[in-house]
Amino acid sequence: MSDRSDVVIIGGGVVGLASALALVEAGRSVRVLEARTVGSGSSHGNCGTITPSHSLPLAAPGTIGRAMRWLLTPDAPLYLRPRMDPSLWAWLARFAARCNMRDLRQATAAKAAILSHSRQALPSWLARYGIECEFAESGTDHIFRNAAAFDEFGEEVRLLAEYGVPSEKIEGAAYEREEPAVLPGVHGVIRFTGDASLRPDRYVAGLAHALLQRGGKIVEQCEVRGLAQDGDDYRIASAQGAFRGRDVLIATGAWSPRLGKSLDLAAAPLAKAMQPGKGYSITYDAPALMPRRPVVLHERSVCVTAWGSGFRLGSTMEFSGYDDALNRRRLDALERGSREYLRQPVGPAKREEWFGWRPMTYDDLPIIGRVPGRERLWLATGHGMLGVSMSTGTAQLAADLICGREPAIDPKPYRVERFA
């Protein structure tokens, strides 16, 4: 087997696999190198919601105040473990500087563009590749039990509408009649009608299968250890030997800053731009009574996704570096939140407790484009909590850039140069 490909992709998560598939469709030979197994990172345990409704960035007026109130509460939706970490505090300072309306609108326009493109492309993408992943175009419901929180969220809804994100309001009593899974006491619901959902592990498995069917190659347990230009190609040293590629795409999610440092990508300041944000989920067998569509239990920031094959509680954001301990208190907070809203808050059998790191940029936008000063070396990372939601749009943009085509999405907002 030849060790050379037109494009070598480092990272076998949802973004790397989707980009590989788009490049194979464009006529390129592609090899994906994955340090563990495909889809084993945050592509695996997320809630699988496809959410143009998440077009607003995390950096927004009021975010810092909420974060400070939660700072010493270990089971709060957002938790910063107190420690001396200069890189984290520098990242937080840059994040805080963007908590204003001018930067919020700029980021919202860019997030909405790639999220909307991805959402529109996804149904035909799944059909073309025959991917069975329990995809449903049902929308998502944000459930409120507090009137003040509901009214405050109204401003976000109005902003989202300006960027083409549709929604509708439902009175609490009407929603309780419509949705028997919820407990009494719902004040109101915002339904984002353009959202969708899928089972992310099956989506990733389907991407890998479609890629292999079309001649792409995947090498697992293949940690990359070096990258150097060798004539017109790049030579990639790895745990499975050496590989060559004319182009290289780095799609390693939250591990991108570490890989960038080891590969001496000084022109792409990934360590400055990104922090790992730890998320949690619990997956159960399906209870008898489940919400009819994905729901966000708003005051507790818990996402609930129900598939025919299972039931998942997820979310939370923890900034604790690459700490690989499973925090029981934060897992328990998911179940406590669910019990406040749902008649059957957990499933009859627990199948998996999971955590993973999301690649969080301080402006809450992905990084897609060429590494400055390095021909044919590309990045597709920094998707935060929205890697699945942005996967098809990212794949399209990455393939357009690598193949020298007119991009379907304006690439400027996602370039790494913005962090220089």
Side-chain angles (χ1 to χ4, degrees):
M1 179 179 69
S2 171
D3 65 358
R4 188 189 185 280
S5 305
D6 294 333
V7 186
V8 173
I9 296 178
I10 305 173
V14 67
V15 168
L17 291 170
S19 299
L21 196 50
L23 284 160
V24 165
E25 288 293 307
R28 300 301 195 267
S29 62
V30 178
R31 178 181 277 106
V32 176
L33 308 182
E34 165 54 43
R36 294 185 292 173
T37 58
V38 293
S40 57
S42 57
S43 299
H44 173 78
N46 67 83
C47 284
T49 49
I50 310 300
T51 49
S53 62
H54 284 42
S55 293
L56 292 176
L58 295 178
T63 298
I64 296 300
R66 286 192 295 273
M68 294 303 294
R69 291 194 297 272
W70 289 335
L71 183 61
L72 299 178
T73 306
D75 60 355
L78 173 63
Y79 175 59
L80 281 74
R81 191 180 72 186
R83 68 191 193 279
M84 287 300 297
D85 184 343
S87 66
L88 172 61
W89 293 107
W91 184 93
L92 288 169
R94 298 181 189 107
F95 178 92
R98 293 191 61 86
C99 290
N100 60 78
M101 286 303 299
R102 179 181 63 83
D103 287 331
L104 179 142
R105 286 185 172 276
Q106 180 187 53
T108 300
K111 283 187 75 174
I114 193 166
L115 283 167
S116 296
H117 182 97
S118 298
R119 171 65 183 90
Q120 291 164 13
L122 186 58
S124 60
W125 173 274
L126 296 176
R128 182 162 71 252
Y129 299 124
I131 299 174
E132 297 292 338
C133 56
E134 302 185 60
F135 177 65
E137 299 182 277
S138 58
T140 60
D141 290 346
H142 286 238
I143 303 176
F144 295 79
R145 297 177 69 83
N146 180 278
F150 182 79
D151 292 341
E152 183 180 352
F153 193 66
E155 179 58 31
E156 296 188 24
V157 170
R158 286 187 286 274
L159 274 169
L160 287 167
E162 292 182 29
Y163 294 93
V165 179
S167 64
E168 60 185 44
K169 291 184 179 180
I170 305 172
E171 295 295 326
Y175 189 75
E176 289 173 10
R177 291 192 296 271
E178 171 190 327
E179 179 50 86
V182 299
L183 289 166
V186 175
H187 173 78
V189 171
I190 301 296
R191 176 169 296 163
F192 289 102
T193 54
D195 287 357
S197 65
L198 50 74
R199 178 137 187 171
D201 51 348
R202 297 187 177 184
Y203 176 46
V204 171
L207 291 173
H209 179 71
L211 175 62
L212 293 171
Q213 278 191 320
R214 287 158 179 78
K217 297 178 175 65
I218 298 172
V219 186
E220 297 181 310
Q221 305 300 332
C222 188
E223 180 184 1
V224 168
R225 297 171 177 170
L227 176 71
Q229 284 188 276
D230 186 1
D232 291 334
D233 289 345
Y234 281 96
R235 186 176 186 276
I236 303 102
S238 81
Q240 299 280 358
F243 299 94
R244 298 171 67 89
R246 183 180 185 278
D247 290 84
V248 174
L249 174 67
I250 297 172
T252 46
W255 301 99
S256 300
R258 286 190 168 184
L259 181 63
K261 183 178 181 180
S262 72
L263 300 182
D264 193 26
L265 302 184
L270 298 178
K272 173 183 176 181
M274 295 171 62
Q275 281 286 318
K278 196 174 182 182
Y280 291 82
S281 71
I282 311 173
T283 306
Y284 312 82
D285 287 345
L289 187 61
M290 299 189 297
R292 297 176 181 179
R293 55 179 55 81
V295 299
V296 175
L297 313 179
H298 190 87
E299 291 88 348
R300 294 293 173 259
S301 296
V302 175
C303 180
V304 183
T305 312
W307 307 289
S309 62
F311 179 78
R312 180 169 290 170
L313 306 178
S315 196
T316 82
M317 180 66 70
E318 174 185 329
F319 288 99
S320 55
Y322 292 96
D323 171 37
D324 61 0
L326 190 148
N327 189 323
R328 174 60 50 188
R329 182 176 298 198
R330 298 190 66 72
L331 278 174
D332 292 346
L334 296 175
E335 292 190 345
R336 284 197 302 274
S338 184
R339 289 191 180 98
E340 294 181 26
Y341 292 77
L342 301 180
R343 294 184 185 275
Q344 294 188 4
V346 300
K350 188 178 293 185
R351 294 298 177 182
E352 182 181 30
E353 295 180 333
W354 175 89
F355 71 86
W357 292 278
R358 295 99 156 217
M360 307 301 299
T361 60
Y362 62 76
D363 64 1
D364 206 21
L365 292 174
I367 300 168
I368 308 168
R370 186 171 64 85
V371 174
R374 302 288 292 270
E375 292 296 326
R376 304 185 309 281
L377 181 59
W378 309 88
L379 296 166
T381 186
H383 292 80
M385 298 180 286
L386 299 171
V388 172
S389 288
M390 294 181 176
S391 59
T392 54
T394 298
Q396 175 76 61
L397 181 54
D400 287 344
L401 293 171
I402 291 170
C403 296
R405 303 183 303 212
E406 182 69 23
I409 305 168
D410 180 7
K412 185 177 180 180
Y414 318 112
R415 291 173 179 161
V416 72
E417 288 92 335
R418 71 188 191 269
F419 299 115

